[in-house]
């Protein structure tokens, strides 16, 4: 859910950039977004989606990225002084660590456009082969002659 309003989904179409964490956000941007994420006035960490939707949203994010249960996340911050501040720092670390693998791969792909082009070309070729087989079968089933099929196949690869 959105970092600014836990009643709406986190979305790249939201005009508020602070409402979402993007896969390629830098650690500093992620930190800023999490630190400014909407919570509530309660000083403790607690999961209550009805009464505390924003805090519950952040706990869900933490649990999702860390692999811990919601209860385990909450238990880490029980009876802790300045629990929210510590929680947001830890949440930042969890998110940044989890996204590092994706970010490293995106960076590697951006530095090698030839590889991306070759993957796209290979995929397009394979898709054309599958599409041709399917079209030939469909045309056969609806009763078109082989010459019509052969003509279609030859024209398909010229375009």
């Amino acid at each position: 859910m959105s970092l600014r309003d836990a009643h709406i989904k986190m979305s790249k179409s939201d005009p508020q950039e602070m409402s979402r964490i993007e896969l390629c956000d830098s650690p500093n941007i992620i930190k800023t977004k999490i630190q400014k994420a909407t919570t509530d006035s309660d000083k403790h960490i607690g999961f209550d989606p009805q009464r505390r939707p924003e805090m519950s949203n952040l706990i869900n994010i933490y649990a999702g990225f860390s692999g811990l249960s919601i209860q385990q996340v909450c238990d880490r911050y029980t009876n802790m002084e300045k629990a929210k501040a510590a929680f947001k720092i830890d949440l930042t670390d969890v998110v940044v660590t989890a996204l590092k693998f994706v970010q490293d791969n995106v960076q590697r792909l951006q530095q090698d456009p030839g590889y991306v082009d070759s993957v796209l070309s290979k995929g397009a070729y394979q898709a054309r082969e599958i599409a041709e087989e399917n079209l030939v079968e469909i045309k056969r089933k609806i009763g078109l002659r082989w010459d019509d099929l052969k003509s279609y196949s030859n024209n398909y690869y010229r375009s």
Side-chain angles (χ1 to χ4, degrees), residues 14-155:
D14 189 322
Q16 291 186 19
E17 287 188 22
M18 297 299 285
S19 70
R20 63 187 173 271
I21 296 171
E22 297 186 16
L23 290 177
C24 292
D25 280 347
S26 71
N28 285 335
I29 290 173
I30 292 171
K31 178 183 177 184
T32 299
K33 288 179 177 182
I34 289 173
Q35 293 303 314
K36 292 186 177 189
T38 305
T39 55
D40 53 42
S41 59
D42 286 2
K43 299 211 181 300
H44 70 283
I45 303 300
F47 188 81
D48 184 348
Q50 300 303 316
R51 196 174 71 76
R52 302 181 70 193
E54 286 83 8
M55 189 72 237
S56 298
N57 180 41
L58 295 179
I59 293 169
N60 269 328
I61 292 169
Y62 192 116
F65 276 103
S66 70
L68 298 174
S69 71
I70 288 169
Q71 189 60 51
Q72 288 172 315
V73 173
C74 292
D75 289 348
R76 284 185 169 207
Y77 301 93
T78 301
N79 299 326
M80 181 184 284
E81 193 173 316
K82 298 184 180 181
K84 274 190 186 174
F87 171 78
K88 284 187 171 184
I89 289 168
D90 293 348
L91 175 58
T92 299
D93 290 342
V94 165
V95 172
V96 166
T97 299
L99 292 180
K100 182 164 179 23
F101 175 76
V102 173
Q103 292 175 341
D104 288 348
N105 281 320
V106 167
Q107 186 177 20
R108 181 180 54 80
L109 292 173
Q110 287 174 335
Q111 293 173 353
D112 190 0
Y115 172 75
V116 175
D117 290 341
S118 72
V119 169
L120 293 173
S121 293
K122 181 180 178 184
Y125 178 78
Q126 290 173 337
R128 277 193 300 274
E129 284 185 329
I130 293 167
E132 180 185 7
E133 290 173 16
N134 291 340
L135 286 171
V136 167
E137 181 66 16
I138 291 167
K139 296 223 181 231
R140 186 188 61 75
K141 285 184 177 184
I142 62 173
L144 293 175
R145 295 185 325 247
W146 175 251
D147 290 338
D148 293 336
L149 296 176
K150 191 174 175 185
S151 172
Y152 173 79
S153 179
N154 289 336
N155 288 333

